[in-house]
Amino acid sequence: MSLHHVDWEASSGVLAYLCVDAFLRDMVGARALATAFETGLIDHLQEYGDVVWDDAIHNLGLDGRGSRLLLQMLRAHGVLDAGQDSGRICLSGAFVEALRFRDILEAKLYFANLVAPDFTQLATALLMQPDVFFTHARLFKLFSYQYAETSTPENREQTARWMRITTALTHYEAAACLQAFDFSGYRNMLDVGGNSGEFVLQICEAHPTLQASVIDLPVVCDIGMQHVADHARGDAATRIRFVKHRREQPALPRGHDLISFKSMLHDWPEEPMVGFLQRAYDALPAGGTLMIFERCDSDIGAQQIGYGQLPLMMFFRSYRQPDVYAMHLARIGFRDIEMATVPLDIPFLLMTARKWE
Ligand SMILES: C[S@@+](CC[C@H](N)C(=O)[O-])C[C@H]1O[C@@H](n2cnc3c(N)ncnc32)[C@H](O)[C@@H]1O
């Protein structure tokens, strides 16, 4: 098996969104920041700029002593600049920059706060007893695909909750993928587990003749269709269609020259994961391309895992080494296997392979 490594370096600000992680590093600061969003303080400061603190508290109807502590926590967290005596405050320059990426900042905050008890209460199980962790962790209750089969108002709400997180992440990850991979030679792509369609939406907007299909669970497709209708620019929405996965019909639809798996395969143990790759092979025409864009198994390095990173790190057992994917692709019959590493919050592998005659 030969795996060709391709160098990739980000350009034109595609990684700029990672600046939000600086405001998610420690739990106290991040939780205080969530309160600043919840109380309307951030919106207030965004609207009025430099304000007198006491006036802001009064206008927002906030508790005095609690707000004083909040101010101190936000200042220590780098969110606010405040004169010691002047009584005036404003958002710090670094935080104003991070607010350009407010959707992902808020999504990561929400995700981290929601599953924080998984770490504070279940860290030993996380590290030593994966089955116990799986049974008790909020993380897996949040990402519960059982609600995505049948469309009811409750199932839609449950499913939309985690789709807001995946959609915000994908919005920025797609931009990096677009820079790392040349989609211009393709006419019709299929994104397996394509969720809200955000991934193909970005690609279709960048490539005006590309058609795309998303295959996913029924409720996910319903929410995705709405997402694409609400957010597409130009004619991109008319080039995207959703295919509802049916249990009794596991084969992937044919007619696509590119099949992608973005942050999808890590959800599955080895055998079903290989099943997806095999079905992609069967569905591709000769000359067709398969793409995997996934977080990969990597060391954390010298720096401690940030609070905002914890939810994604809790999937650490699911992330694979590139060689594992490459070995299965080669076994199935794929050729020209190439990979690059895309250094996002956790390093992503971008692997492509071709089906020959
Ligand atoms: C971890 S999410 C990744 C979603 C998206 N690709 C992203 O990057 O955020 C996995 C996706 O696979 C979908 N999924 C689960 N089982 C599936 C199946 N049998 N066929 C197609 N999609 C499936 C889920 O509904 C979900 O949207």
Side-chain angles (χ1 to χ4, degrees), residues 24 39 43 71 89 171 183 195 203 210 286 318 321 336 343 349:
L24 301 167
T39 52
D43 288 321
L71 164 67
I89 53 156
H171 182 76
F183 288 86
N195 202 247
I203 300 167
L210 183 71
S318 307
Q321 291 283 339
D336 300 341
L349 66 91

Side-chain angles (χ1 to χ4, degrees), residues 18 80 305:
L18 294 173
L80 299 183
I305 301 165

Side-chain angles (χ1 to χ4, degrees), residues 145 162 166 170 193 195 216-217 220 245 262-264 267-268:
Y145 296 152
W162 60 265
T166 49
T170 297
N195 202 247
D216 210 304
L217 305 178
V220 175
H245 163 78
K262 180 198 165 284
S263 306
M264 199 273 179
D267 257 0
W268 300 87

Side-chain angles (χ1 to χ4, degrees), residues 23 45 74-75 77-82 89-99:
F23 296 96
L45 291 172
L74 293 173
R75 197 166 51 192
H77 199 50
V79 171
L80 299 183
D81 280 340
I89 53 156
C90 62
L91 298 174
S92 71
F95 190 70
V96 169
E97 172 65 13
L99 270 183

